[in-house]
Amino acid sequence: MRQIYYYSMLLLCPLMTLAQEVKLKVSPYVNATTSIKEGLIEAGPELNWEKVADGKTFTLRPSIRLPLTNEAENVLQIDRFTSTWKSVLAAQFTKDNTQESGGISRHSFTGQFEYGHAKFTYYPGGDQSFSISNGKNSYAFEIKYAGFFSKGQSGAAQFSPQFRLRYARDWQAASEVSVLNTPSPGGFTTVSDLIVDPPSVRPVFSPAFSLQIYPGKGNFSYSPTIYYDFTGNSSDNGPFGSLNRLRLESWIFFYPSVTDSPNVKIGISPFLSLRTKGTDSFNKAEYGGMITLKFGTSFLQFL
């Protein structure tokens, strides 16, 4: 019963996720881009090559991704001294088969590589006079496909199937624990919050599929989505040895203005997460709800 109350509150007080993207053309083939999404800022050039007659576009995006805040100090952390940066290289190829008359058909393929280096400091045994610092390399690979199909008529339905494969091996710092300090001469004992365990890494492989549907009229679109996450054992390279979870979502997006600014959308979805292999700190079945507010995204963009 407590679980039902907890997730009822989650539905009433959901997490708001903001996303904003800005693009500025600096030459016929180069754009300067900046995006803010899920607490991260990503900036870099975007290089475009187009063959309009063939409906082909190739885009290359090298960029740097940084966290907007420091979790411990809650301050902006976008200078060159941050230790949690990531470099990202993404390449996208789009083939538009749309003709002057008839239906609309478009296919887009994206490959992305991410690399980052972070320094982790911890205090074995809780001794503040002795610390160990290690630098660790994190990386990820991602492949995406997005299609778009419509009859090309006024009021015709629009469909956008989207598929993603992602592999990530990201090092994470251990959680802080409370450690008793040596008593003062007056007999007073204080407590410090320290990280006493070394960082850890668990590889994750995550396929995902979403079908974006716009009925052609009105201010709503619909997006059933499936994720399946494979998580490996600590320090392994393979992701298939430990934990599997299936996640089901069913998004409904509202567009305040479909004609003037369709890239602003508000979404709500229930979710169901099922553990199909292994153990973790969550229940075998978890459920709840989410709300998201997105800016600067394509009309039916999701994954």
Side-chain angles (χ1 to χ4, degrees):
M1 184 63 69
R2 285 183 298 176
Q3 185 187 45
I4 296 176
Y5 288 147
Y6 173 78
Y7 286 108
S8 296
M9 291 301 295
L10 183 62
L11 280 167
L12 293 175
C13 304
L15 176 65
M16 299 294 291
T17 302
L18 301 180
Q20 179 67 57
E21 182 173 345
V22 177
K23 185 179 297 187
L24 176 65
K25 182 175 287 293
V26 296
S27 78
Y29 301 102
V30 181
N31 296 320
T33 65
T34 302
S35 65
I36 299 174
K37 184 178 181 181
E38 297 176 353
L40 301 171
I41 182 170
E42 186 172 318
E46 179 184 87
L47 295 83
N48 295 285
W49 294 270
E50 291 185 275
K51 287 189 175 181
V52 179
D54 296 334
K56 297 178 180 179
T57 303
F58 179 77
T59 304
L60 187 67
R61 286 189 293 266
S63 59
I64 296 293
R65 181 184 298 164
L66 301 170
L68 279 173
T69 60
N70 181 305
E71 183 179 354
E73 300 175 5
N74 195 28
V75 295
L76 285 178
Q77 188 179 2
I78 55 176
D79 56 58
R80 65 186 180 92
F81 301 107
T82 178
S83 61
T84 53
W85 60 270
K86 272 192 176 181
S87 57
V88 181
L89 178 62
Q92 180 176 314
F93 173 75
T94 300
K95 180 65 170 69
D96 194 336
N97 298 317
T98 305
Q99 301 298 320
E100 292 184 3
S101 61
I104 298 174
S105 174
R106 185 166 60 245
H107 306 272
S108 179
F109 302 88
T110 303
Q112 182 168 297
F113 173 72
E114 304 170 14
Y115 170 80
H117 181 84
K119 185 177 180 181
F120 299 91
T121 301
Y122 60 100
Y123 301 83
D127 184 0
Q128 295 189 57
S129 63
F130 175 71
S131 66
I132 296 177
S133 295
N134 290 326
K136 298 295 184 180
N137 299 317
S138 298
Y139 56 89
F141 303 91
E142 186 171 288
I143 298 174
K144 289 182 182 180
Y145 164 79
F148 181 84
F149 305 96
S150 177
K151 291 183 178 181
Q153 303 170 354
S154 178
Q158 302 175 22
F159 302 93
S160 177
Q162 301 175 29
F163 181 71
R164 184 206 68 192
L165 292 175
R166 179 177 175 84
Y167 171 85
R169 196 172 188 270
D170 291 325
W171 284 88
Q172 302 291 333
S175 300
E176 290 184 339
V177 297
S178 297
V179 177
L180 290 175
N181 298 319
T182 303
S184 66
F188 294 101
T189 301
T190 58
V191 176
S192 296
D193 292 330
L194 299 175
I195 297 176
V196 300
D197 294 320
S200 62
V201 60
R202 300 183 72 183
V204 177
F205 177 64
S206 176
F209 175 78
S210 178
L211 178 60
Q212 311 298 294
I213 304 169
Y214 176 64
K217 297 180 180 180
N219 295 68
F220 292 90
S221 70
Y222 309 93
S223 306
T225 305
I226 299 175
Y227 298 88
Y228 199 93
D229 296 332
F230 300 86
T231 305
N233 294 308
S234 179
S235 300
D236 282 352
N237 289 317
F240 303 111
S242 181
L243 173 68
N244 296 351
R245 267 198 177 270
L246 171 68
R247 183 184 179 94
L248 305 174
E249 300 175 2
S250 183
W251 287 93
I252 299 176
F253 287 106
F254 170 69
Y255 302 85
S257 176
V258 175
T259 55
D260 296 331
S261 183
N263 57 353
V264 178
K265 54 187 177 182
I266 303 168
I268 183 170
S269 172
F271 74 84
L272 173 65
S273 177
L274 299 173
R275 188 177 66 232
T276 59
K277 178 183 177 181
T279 59
D280 57 16
S281 58
F282 299 99
N283 295 318
K284 184 178 180 64
E286 298 280 357
Y287 54 89
M290 298 173 291
I291 285 181
T292 183
L293 174 61
K294 290 182 178 290
F295 301 89
T297 60
S298 299
F299 186 54
L300 293 181
Q301 179 183 348
F302 187 79
L303 294 178

